[in-house]
Amino acid sequence: MLRRRVGSTALAAARYFSAGTEAKPALKDGAVTRSAPEAGGGDTLGKRLLSLVYSKRSAVIAIRKWKEEGHKVQKYQLNRVVRELRKLKRYKHALEICEWMNIEDDIKLQSGDYAVHLDLIAKVRGLSSAEKYFEDLPDRLKGQPTCTALLHTYVQHKESSKAKALMDKMSECGFLKNPLPYNHLLSLYISNGQLEEVPGVILELKKNVSPDVFTYNLWLTACASQSDVETAEKVFLELKKAKIEPDWVTYSTLTGLYIKNSLLEKAAFTVKEMEKRVSRKVRGAYSSLITLHSNMGNKDEEFEEAETLYSEWESVSPTGDSRIPNLLLATYINKNQMETAENFFDRMVQRGIKPGYTTWELLTWGYLKQKQLDKILDCFKKAVGSVKKWDPDEKIIREVFRILEEQGHVEGAEQLLVSLRKAGHVNTEVYNLLLRTYAKAGKMPLIVSERMKKDKVPLDDETHNLIKLTSKMRVSDVSSCLS
């Protein structure tokens, strides 16, 4: 038995646990269902639970009310709802449903249910609570499913030592009967940059089980991180010899590696193979394809392919997610095609795609290249205003101020200061950049010392020198910009 308290996951392994290997518990009559939550036009428990958009609303109250109305509550229905809620990342309500099932005497839980419960506790309440839940389980439930769920939690929290200790215990108990635990450990080492550990894990895996496509994809990712083309090609050849079908992730990883090493003919072949395996509904695949085509050197035909792929994605995707169109927008801007970028931005908006921070930041950089100050300031203001808490980008702040100083645009400098203040980012450097703009324009700013005091920003030697320098200049007429 396992002792008490045994001590950023790669995309493929994370998906493998959260969806691909999720338990499908048996019903009381032995049937198993894989269908989606209840469809149709009538009222159902599934529809009620999925309609609880706000986290403060209680899934338990909804279930109780359903029962009070004389309806039956069946385990398979709740399992399906939990599965959908996890896909939607609405973990709190999913956990509430699991906890309700746990206390109901007429609902018989299986080991897979406890694994899902543990995973949800980790997501909602943290690692310590998940460990406590595992410790409190009866020994008979500390089997492969719950151990794998705990391992997955350690991977997500980048707990290498705890993950390794748990793997050792799982090995002692004979729980390493499939590649999933090894894939979790591989993803942890790759995300932590512990690439030297990868060969040992692969070797240990092969002693006990056969690698699957996720194993090979992770192995290829490790090769790509080291720009090791030779080993990557050997890994791919081994995959083919094992008669495992490569997926789009396999070819995406190889293509990225080839592009990185300027092996564009090989990249052109693998990206075509990737295209054959891409599902229209997989956003990540389209994102990867567009990025790869955009990075294929200066080949116009490759970029045209990226545009075609985006049009395909646009035609089938109902989402307002800006991440994929941002890839194409960035490419237009990097190619100094601002008119095309503007037209593409208009197309995004017309399609109902809401611009996010990255969109506005990209446009800011594009207009910086053209020194279009009004558009620079407008896009920058919208960028910092699009997020609840802005993580300051000092590089873009300095670049905007550089253009303002170059043109002696004191009105714009004051507008930028207002935007930065609203974003909670004013400091001595920002005020010095403002003062340099005034000095370049030959103008004297108003009450700078008082404004800095109000903003609780200290003056340094440069500040004092700039104030002294500009005090001899003519008074500025931009008082309307002051806040």
Side-chain angles (χ1 to χ4, degrees):
M1 294 297 174
L2 294 174
R3 293 195 195 99
R4 293 171 66 86
R5 205 162 187 88
V6 292
S8 188
T9 306
L11 180 62
R15 283 181 178 165
Y16 192 27
F17 173 75
S18 62
T21 61
E22 181 173 289
K24 298 179 177 65
L27 310 185
K28 291 182 180 178
D29 61 3
V32 176
T33 180
R34 290 181 174 82
S35 59
E38 300 102 320
D43 183 24
T44 66
L45 178 57
K47 287 183 178 179
R48 289 191 188 184
L49 290 169
L50 290 170
S51 70
L52 300 175
V53 178
Y54 299 105
S55 60
K56 290 184 178 180
R57 298 180 68 183
S58 171
V60 173
I61 291 175
I63 296 172
R64 287 175 180 167
K65 186 176 180 181
W66 180 260
K67 289 189 72 176
E68 289 169 0
E69 293 172 2
H71 302 294
K72 290 184 178 180
V73 176
Q74 296 176 296
K75 181 172 176 281
Y76 81 93
Q77 295 174 311
L78 296 180
N79 282 335
R80 284 155 51 183
V81 173
V82 167
R83 188 158 56 245
E84 285 300 309
L85 288 170
R86 292 176 77 198
K87 289 179 183 177
L88 296 169
K89 298 185 178 181
R90 289 166 53 185
Y91 303 122
K92 177 181 175 291
H93 287 142
L95 177 58
E96 289 174 356
I97 295 170
C98 287
E99 290 177 333
W100 183 86
M101 288 195 291
N102 194 49
I103 61 174
E104 289 296 304
D105 293 334
D106 61 340
I107 291 183
K108 295 182 180 180
L109 300 179
Q110 297 184 354
S111 56
D113 298 310
Y114 292 99
V116 171
H117 196 161
L118 188 152
D119 181 65
L120 288 168
I121 288 174
K123 287 179 168 63
V124 176
R125 297 177 186 145
L127 176 59
S128 296
S129 295
E131 289 179 316
K132 178 67 166 57
Y133 175 81
F134 181 82
E135 290 168 6
D136 292 342
L137 287 173
D139 285 345
R140 63 184 175 80
L141 292 176
K142 293 178 181 177
Q144 182 183 0
T146 50
C147 286
T148 303
L150 182 60
L151 178 65
H152 177 67
T153 298
Y154 286 146
V155 170
Q156 289 183 313
H157 287 80
K158 299 185 183 297
E159 293 281 356
S160 294
S161 59
K162 289 185 176 182
K164 184 62 171 65
L166 179 56
M167 280 287 287
D168 291 341
K169 284 296 172 186
M170 291 175 71
S171 179
E172 290 176 16
C173 295
F175 292 162
L176 302 180
K177 298 177 180 179
N178 63 63
L180 178 59
Y182 294 101
N183 292 344
H184 283 324
L185 196 61
L186 284 171
S187 68
L188 175 60
Y189 287 142
I190 291 169
S191 64
N192 281 350
Q194 298 173 270
L195 301 179
E196 70 282 357
E197 302 287 348
V198 170
V201 177
I202 297 290
L203 188 62
E204 193 64 29
L205 181 156
K206 289 180 177 180
K207 291 178 181 177
N208 297 298
V209 296
S210 298
D212 60 12
V213 69
F214 300 99
T215 309
Y216 284 109
N217 287 344
L218 287 163
W219 196 357
L220 287 170
T221 298
C223 295
S225 298
Q226 299 170 300
S227 294
D228 189 347
V229 174
E230 183 179 357
T231 302
E233 291 181 334
K234 288 179 180 178
V235 171
F236 180 73
L237 183 60
E238 181 180 316
L239 176 152
K240 297 289 284 185
K241 285 183 177 178
K243 296 183 179 179
I244 294 174
E245 181 63 29
D247 60 14
W248 71 263
V249 177
T250 313
Y251 286 108
S252 173
T253 306
L254 283 171
T255 304
L257 175 60
Y258 288 142
I259 292 173
K260 186 177 180 181
N261 287 273
S262 301
L263 300 170
L264 298 185
E265 288 188 9
K266 289 186 175 183
F269 172 77
T270 52
V271 80
K272 293 298 181 186
E273 291 298 312
M274 177 185 172
E275 287 173 6
K276 296 175 185 177
R277 293 161 174 81
V278 168
S279 166
R280 287 186 161 205
K281 295 182 180 180
V282 181
R283 183 190 60 80
Y286 269 91
S287 175
S288 179
L289 264 178
I290 291 169
T291 300
L292 292 169
H293 277 293
S294 300
N295 291 338
M296 295 277 279
N298 294 317
K299 293 184 177 181
D300 289 337
E301 63 271 20
E302 293 296 347
F303 184 62
E304 288 174 6
E305 183 66 22
E307 292 176 312
T308 301
L309 286 165
Y310 175 76
S311 296
E312 285 182 16
W313 173 83
E314 189 180 52
S315 68
V316 298
S317 175
T319 179
D321 192 336
S322 62
R323 285 175 289 182
I324 286 184
N326 281 343
L327 296 170
L328 216 53
L329 183 67
T331 303
Y332 290 131
I333 290 170
N334 289 334
K335 291 165 72 74
N336 296 317
Q337 298 177 356
M338 275 309 295
E339 184 177 351
T340 306
E342 289 175 325
N343 291 336
F344 182 73
F345 173 77
D346 291 340
R347 172 179 166 184
M348 287 172 57
V349 174
Q350 289 169 6
R351 289 280 301 179
I353 296 173
K354 184 179 179 181
Y357 175 81
T358 301
T359 311
W360 294 118
E361 184 188 41
L362 287 169
L363 289 169
T364 303
W365 280 112
Y367 290 127
L368 277 167
K369 291 182 179 182
Q370 298 188 331
K371 300 183 180 181
Q372 297 186 47
L373 279 175
D374 289 344
K375 291 183 177 181
I376 290 170
L377 293 169
D378 179 58
C379 290
F380 182 84
K381 179 181 178 180
K382 289 175 178 174
V384 297
S386 67
V387 289
K388 291 182 179 179
K389 186 177 180 181
W390 182 48
D391 184 15
D393 183 343
E394 303 294 345
K395 184 178 178 181
I396 198 169
I397 293 172
R398 294 189 187 109
E399 187 62 18
V400 176
F401 266 118
R402 186 185 70 80
I403 301 297
L404 291 166
E405 179 185 350
E406 187 180 276
Q407 298 187 18
H409 200 306
V410 294
E411 294 88 351
E414 290 286 0
Q415 291 174 28
L416 181 57
L417 178 64
V418 170
S419 295
L420 291 170
R421 183 182 290 113
K422 288 181 179 178
H425 184 71
V426 284
N427 54 31
T428 306
E429 183 185 9
V430 166
Y431 267 102
N432 288 346
L433 291 167
L434 173 75
L435 287 166
R436 288 181 207 165
T437 306
Y438 273 98
K440 175 68 175 181
K443 295 181 179 181
M444 181 178 73
L446 298 175
I447 56 170
V448 172
S449 298
E450 290 83 349
R451 285 194 278 162
M452 292 182 72
K453 183 178 180 181
K454 183 178 179 181
D455 287 332
K456 298 180 181 180
V457 174
L459 286 70
D460 63 8
D461 290 342
E462 184 182 6
T463 316
H464 287 293
N465 291 334
L466 285 167
I467 290 175
K468 182 178 180 180
L469 173 64
T470 55
S471 66
K472 302 173 185 178
M473 300 174 178
R474 71 182 189 275
V475 177
S476 170
D477 57 356
V478 296
S479 56
S480 61
C481 294
L482 304 182
S483 62

